[in-house]
Amino acid sequence: MVIKNGFVVTENDVTQADILIRGSQIAAIGVGLSDDETIDATGKYVLPGGIDVHTHMNLDVGIAVAQDDFYTGTVAAACGGTTAIVDHLGFGPAGCSLDHQIGRYHEYARGKAVIDYGFHGVIQHVDGDVLGMMETLIGQGVTSHKIYMTYSYKIDDAGIYAVLKRAKQLGVMVAVHPENDGVVNARRRELVEQGMTAPRYHAVSRPESCEAEAIFRASQISSAAGDAPLYIVHVSSHLGMQAVKLARRNGQKNIFAETCPQYLLLDDSYYERKDGLKYVLSPPLRRKVNNAQLWEDVIAGDIQTVATDHCPFDLKLKERLGKDDFTKCPNGMPGVELRYPLMFSEGVMKGRISANAFARLCATNPAKLFGLYPKKGVIKEGSDADIVIMNTGCGDTITHDRLHENVDYTPYEGFELSCKIDCVLSRGEVIVKNNSYIGQKARGQFLKRGLPALDAK
Ligand code: URP
Ligand code: ZN
Ligand code: ZN
């Protein structure tokens, strides 16, 4: 197959060229290439397939289970231009081994996933077995692990230090959910005692200071552990980014920051709406001023990746559980299907970032940081032919009924897009056309990831 005459985007260039695909890989990039089967991409952007390194398929949060599984969630991802995910696993039983949840998630994904997928390990306690297993799992393609500084299986500072020291030794990545657990829980109790249980108090209970304190603490522990590789997930506030930048100013080279479209495009005024429970997620939506400040950090290259934290629960369910008390509402929002279109439209089409920066944030940097580069995340000879053809000659309005996510709303209802995905290829196969998934079920392959390349900019 040849993709003819598009604007081919890599992390540094945009060139008008043809792409020759042989089997599952890119065989050549040049001009005048031909083959029997042709896709005409004249006037369109030809982008690397998106990589979303923060999804939660099947996530069990105790009071509910996230509603996308590895079939519905990856179909939605594919329709939105994402051709690989790295999923964050739910907690297993207390005291379980580090490979317990990985085994369980292989079962969840097998027979279902339609795009390629990997797993971050989840560290829910720290002992010699867990630290030992971090090495074993490298051989199984699991080269990053998540720790939580809040929630039921939070890791204390000594544990974080031990994990980061081990990560530095092994060259694996540690992803962290940073929020100050003690303060968040005290505030939740205070608010409930005072009858302040409306959705807006969800944001009040988890202030920016709690995120920033935890980012500061985690990044300084990483310094004490010898500048260990630390990836801060879902940074939602300017204050949080200041902690990231302080660590870098002090010479730390291995601190990486992720944000999500919701923190760039939505704000805490959404909690005032009558459907405010839709937006209950952690960290919460912030004061509007943070949107512009985070865009500045994206533009300056201080934020390395944009992921989604896709974790959908029906509004119906959120309302049933949380209508009288935000603390009873399952936390999380859908987003996996709209990251590519939203970031391209709000970022590139509005002139905030270049097409190259878009590719870096949404594909190349995630691939580098999570051991998938150059197989994934780039349009290059020898890479997998994971490609999105983006049409900028037409607009689109986001409506929930045209999405594939298994949930009864989208947080982005009514947002205008000034681009539209024409088609999506995964390993050389056209899997999405006209907003429909046309590939087989279960065609997705498990990605045995290599060690992170720590040069993502
Ligand atoms: O509210 C959220 N984000 N739920 C998913 C779990 C997490 O904290 O990332
Ligand atoms: Zn989180
Ligand atoms: Zn998450």
Side-chain angles (χ1 to χ4, degrees):
M1 180 193 296
V2 173
I3 300 174
K4 290 289 291 179
N5 214 25
F7 298 114
V8 179
V9 179
T10 64
E11 60 180 319
N12 295 315
D13 301 302
V14 179
T15 23
Q16 195 160 13
D18 308 329
I19 299 173
L20 176 67
I21 297 168
R22 286 267 174 267
S24 61
Q25 291 184 340
I26 295 169
I29 303 170
V31 281
L33 302 176
S34 61
D35 198 75
D36 293 346
E37 201 184 337
T38 298
I39 296 177
D40 182 9
T42 305
K44 297 172 186 168
Y45 281 96
V46 180
L47 304 164
I51 302 183
D52 188 344
V53 292
H54 193 157
T55 60
H56 291 285
M57 305 307 170
N58 293 76
L59 184 77
D60 187 344
V61 294
I63 50 172
V65 177
Q67 290 168 200
D68 268 318
D69 65 11
F70 278 83
Y71 179 64
T72 59
T74 57
V75 165
C79 289
T82 286
T83 52
I85 59 169
V86 185
D87 200 71
H88 282 291
L89 317 183
F91 294 126
C96 68
S97 63
L98 187 54
D99 60 355
H100 181 279
Q101 287 305 86
I102 291 166
R104 176 171 283 178
Y105 272 69
H106 273 299
E107 284 167 29
Y108 288 160
R110 201 173 296 124
K112 291 205 161 163
V114 306
I115 56 171
D116 297 346
Y117 59 94
F119 305 132
H120 304 281
V122 59
I123 294 179
Q124 52 186 77
H125 71 277
V126 182
D127 62 15
D129 288 346
V130 166
L131 297 174
M133 184 67 80
M134 283 171 73
E135 183 168 20
T136 313
L137 286 174
I138 295 173
Q140 297 178 25
V142 178
T143 54
S144 54
H145 299 279
K146 170 91 156 280
I147 53 174
Y148 289 85
M149 296 170 81
T150 188
Y151 300 154
S152 47
Y153 288 109
K154 62 184 172 294
I155 303 298
D156 67 13
D157 294 349
I160 296 171
Y161 176 64
V163 168
L164 283 167
K165 250 176 57 175
R166 184 69 170 146
K168 171 79 185 177
Q169 206 178 48
L170 297 172
V172 302
M173 183 68 83
V174 176
V176 63
H177 171 123
E179 283 186 294
N180 183 305
D181 182 70
V183 177
V184 165
N185 282 317
R187 287 173 76 88
R188 277 158 67 93
R189 276 192 302 273
E190 281 164 15
L191 289 161
V192 171
E193 272 163 27
Q194 294 166 53
M196 295 169 164
T197 52
R200 77 170 70 96
Y201 296 110
H202 172 66
V204 176
S205 72
R206 318 179 86 93
E208 293 161 21
S209 52
C210 283
E211 176 179 64
E213 184 280 331
I215 294 177
F216 180 76
R217 183 157 36 104
S219 56
Q220 295 309 314
I221 297 173
S222 152
S223 169
D227 199 8
L230 179 66
Y231 178 87
I232 318 284
V233 302
H234 51 44
V235 179
S236 63
S237 65
H238 180 57
L239 202 56
M241 276 310 298
Q242 285 182 310
V244 170
K245 289 189 268 191
L246 178 66
R248 290 194 189 129
R249 269 204 304 280
N250 287 338
Q252 287 179 250
K253 295 202 179 337
N254 296 325
I255 307 289
F256 304 96
E258 165 197 283
T259 194
C260 310
Q262 57 267 30
Y263 303 118
L264 295 166
L265 302 173
L266 308 178
D267 62 74
D268 62 1
S269 67
Y270 283 71
Y271 294 117
E272 305 300 332
R273 296 163 43 148
K274 78 172 188 322
D275 58 359
L277 286 172
K278 278 182 183 171
Y279 309 94
V280 168
L281 84 165
S282 295
L285 302 180
R286 303 298 191 187
R287 292 170 303 132
K288 195 166 184 55
V289 64
N290 286 279
N291 297 154
Q293 289 165 328
L294 288 173
W295 272 115
E296 285 307 313
D297 291 321
V298 165
I299 291 160
D302 290 321
I303 289 176
Q304 280 65 48
T305 66
V306 175
T308 61
D309 198 11
H310 177 76
C311 187
F313 302 99
D314 277 347
L315 175 61
K316 252 193 331 271
L317 176 75
K318 286 182 160 232
E319 284 179 340
R320 183 159 61 74
L321 298 175
K323 72 176 173 351
D324 298 323
D325 182 350
F326 74 86
T327 67
K328 305 277 189 327
C329 176
N331 283 209
M333 286 202 318
V336 76
E337 191 164 356
L338 289 170
R339 181 186 66 129
Y340 238 44
L342 278 171
M343 287 304 296
F344 200 85
S345 185
E346 292 287 332
V348 182
M349 299 306 289
K350 288 198 173 165
R352 288 171 163 134
I353 54 174
S354 65
N356 312 112
F358 166 87
R360 278 198 294 276
L361 287 159
C362 297
T364 315
N365 283 347
K368 286 183 174 176
L369 291 173
F370 292 99
L372 293 171
Y373 184 87
K375 177 179 168 64
K376 302 281 187 195
V378 62
I379 296 181
K380 192 175 177 173
E381 278 174 30
S383 296
D384 281 358
D386 292 355
I387 291 172
V388 174
I389 301 183
M390 185 70 90
N391 190 350
T392 55
C394 53
D396 206 3
T397 305
I398 295 174
T399 56
H400 165 255
D401 59 303
R402 303 229 324 275
L403 297 177
H404 301 77
E405 297 163 340
N406 184 35
V407 60
D408 65 4
Y409 75 101
T410 171
Y412 305 102
E413 189 73 33
F415 269 62
E416 295 295 336
L417 297 173
S418 47
C419 58
K420 199 169 180 176
I421 290 173
D422 252 23
C423 70
V424 179
L425 286 80
S426 160
R427 281 182 275 103
E429 181 188 343
V430 177
I431 59 167
V432 173
K433 233 177 161 168
N434 299 324
N435 193 37
S436 291
Y437 178 71
I438 57 171
Q440 295 285 313
K441 191 170 184 178
R443 61 171 298 289
Q445 296 177 355
F446 175 66
L447 292 165
K448 273 183 97 173
R449 295 179 292 120
L451 292 175
L454 301 177
D455 64 343
K457 295 279 178 323

